[in-house]
Amino acid sequence: VVAGRLAATPADWVDAACGQWQTLLIDHAYCEKKAASTALALVFAYPEQQEQNLALARLAREELRHYEQVTRMMQRLAVPFQRLRPGRYAGALRAALRTHEPLRRLDLMLCGAIIEARSCERFRLLAPRLAAPLGEFYAELERAEARHEGLYWGLALEAAGEGGSSACERRLDELLVIESALATAPDPLFRFHSGSPAGPAGSPVRGSDSNS
Ligand SMILES: [Fe+2]
Ligand SMILES: [Fe+2]
């Protein structure tokens, strides 16, 4: 549902990612860790939702396993760990979520579905462009992210309740307007979920990281 409505990732982001695959990998490790912690935070936020929490606990374990795999991949490819400040994507998206229940729960699940769908799209674009073993690894992760998108979308429909599917789709479209801008508009900081690579003056910043 979500994947078909995403704005396409700009081709220059894919080029930049292939050129800066080490930075991509370091940020990717952070994303997997964050995905696990977000799933776990949802278990804490809605303790009464047992079925939802069984699915989220399982997801948290899978994301944590991805984190382990990415970290091993960094070691295998001799990519040194480096602290990176986060990009604008996740924070800006979360800032758009409603703060009152039951709407917050719906928005959180939609946000999960959107991030998983975007990750899935980017792994699909990257997999054929990256050399082994990274290309194959990303092809595997693309399939996992497609599953996760479906999981969060199902949880969003449940959160919307009986007859809430059209409200769910309307809200999805609203959040996607924000997400598309984040994923495509010029972004000075290259990250896994960043927009079109551009410096403040619109100049490409490929091959460098403006991080301190
Ligand atoms: Fe993952
Ligand atoms: Fe995921």
Side-chain angles (χ1 to χ4, degrees), residues 42-64:
L42 289 170
V43 174
F44 277 97
Y46 302 100
E48 66 286 354
Q49 300 292 338
Q50 287 187 315
E51 287 308 311
Q52 175 176 295
N53 289 342
L54 287 172
L56 289 169
R58 192 187 181 89
L59 176 64
R61 280 188 283 138
E62 190 183 356
E63 300 292 17
L64 213 48

Side-chain angles (χ1 to χ4, degrees), residues 32 35 59 63 66 116 144-145 148:
E32 298 290 2
L59 176 64
E63 300 292 17
H66 290 167
E116 296 288 350
E145 301 300 53
H148 299 169

Side-chain angles (χ1 to χ4, degrees), residues 29-133:
Y30 173 82
C31 292
E32 298 290 2
K33 194 164 54 174
K34 185 70 189 152
S37 111
T38 299
L40 194 54
L42 289 170
V43 174
F44 277 97
Y46 302 100
E48 66 286 354
Q49 300 292 338
Q50 287 187 315
E51 287 308 311
Q52 175 176 295
N53 289 342
L54 287 172
L56 289 169
R58 192 187 181 89
L59 176 64
R61 280 188 283 138
E62 190 183 356
E63 300 292 17
L64 213 48
R65 211 161 46 230
H66 290 167
Y67 167 74
E68 293 171 36
Q69 290 172 335
V70 181
T71 301
R72 293 235 179 281
M73 189 63 83
M74 284 171 63
Q75 292 174 331
R76 184 172 167 189
L77 298 175
V79 176
F81 175 81
Q82 192 194 334
R83 282 184 184 234
L84 296 181
R85 74 186 155 94
R88 67 187 180 186
Y89 183 84
L93 201 52
R94 287 183 77 87
L97 307 188
R98 292 171 294 192
T99 52
H100 292 92
E101 297 295 356
L103 299 176
R104 182 159 186 82
R105 180 176 160 217
L106 170 62
D107 280 10
L108 284 164
M109 299 308 161
L110 287 173
C111 186
I114 289 170
I115 296 174
E116 296 288 350
R118 177 61 69 191
S119 306
C120 180
E121 186 235 17
R122 293 201 166 176
F123 284 130
R124 180 168 49 74
L125 293 168
L126 290 167
R129 296 274 307 268
L130 294 168

Side-chain angles (χ1 to χ4, degrees), residues 178-191:
I178 297 163
E179 196 273 348
S180 308
L182 293 167
T184 64
D187 192 341
L189 192 59
F190 170 76
R191 291 292 180 263

Side-chain angles (χ1 to χ4, degrees), residues 118-185:
R118 177 61 69 191
S119 306
C120 180
E121 186 235 17
R122 293 201 166 176
F123 284 130
R124 180 168 49 74
L125 293 168
L126 290 167
R129 296 274 307 268
L130 294 168
L134 206 48
E136 292 153 28
F137 180 45
Y138 279 9
E140 247 173 68
L141 289 179
E142 180 207 338
R143 293 188 284 275
E145 301 300 53
R147 246 189 311 112
H148 299 169
E149 179 214 320
L151 168 69
Y152 273 118
W153 177 249
L155 294 176
L157 286 175
E158 269 177 47
E162 196 92 358
S165 72
S166 62
C168 200
E169 298 213 9
R170 267 199 313 278
R171 184 59 182 153
L172 173 66
D173 287 336
E174 287 172 8
L175 291 174
L176 281 177
V177 170
I178 297 163
E179 196 273 348
S180 308
L182 293 167
T184 64

